[in-house]
Amino acid sequence: MRVLVVLFTVLLSGPALALSCLAPSVERSYAQSDAATEHYLVVEGRLTLNARQLPKSGSGTGARNPPPMTIVPSKILGKSMSTAGFVVPFDQDVALEVACFGPWCGTVRNGDQVLAFVRRDGGEYALSITPCGGDAFVNPTPGQLKAVLECHRGGDCTAE
């Protein structure tokens, strides 16, 4: 719902306004994925994709706005999380859902190390990337990995 509010606000605002985002938090992302009706896996691994397929953010006077959503084929090779930690092998194709809010687009790079909240739709996987971060944290810190594992084990899952 928050994404829709931000999107609606951006679409109604003039080009002089900047995008304002809530600071990303693995605890908040964990809580949202845990409460979702869809099934999510938490994965730590290397993301590979063809970066030329990513949408280009608009910039400068008269720049064209990119499409609101671009699906980019990608792959994550790493480990998914269990209560024992990141120990379950994960080597899957993932549909990268890259959202753009007006001229601002989510971004990742080929080869990024990510902590990702991957949605499982049947036998397929998807990962949402927005200008405000989405469901991926690039180059996760040991603290972020520890925090998400603490959430998964039922411990404190309060965003700082």
Side-chain angles (χ1 to χ4, degrees), residues 59-64:
S59 62
T61 306
R64 255 186 38 228

Side-chain angles (χ1 to χ4, degrees), residues 74-144:
S74 69
K75 184 175 194 131
I76 299 178
L77 175 61
K79 306 268 179 157
S80 66
M81 185 176 65
S82 74
T83 54
F86 289 91
V87 296
V88 181
F90 186 89
D91 182 0
Q92 298 292 330
D93 292 330
V94 176
L96 197 60
E97 301 170 342
V98 183
C100 297
F101 304 158
W104 302 282
C105 295
T107 185
V108 289
R109 293 183 316 249
N110 182 46
D112 276 347
Q113 192 70 22
V114 295
L115 172 62
F117 294 81
V118 178
R119 188 178 71 248
R120 184 173 179 184
D121 297 323
E124 297 184 6
Y125 297 90
L127 175 59
S128 173
I129 305 292
T130 73
C132 293
D135 292 335
F137 295 81
V138 175
N139 296 321
T141 66
Q144 287 174 316

Side-chain angles (χ1 to χ4, degrees), residues 27-38:
E27 296 90 350
R28 191 171 23 264
S29 293
Y30 182 87
Q32 289 171 345
S33 65
D34 191 46
T37 57
E38 300 90 358

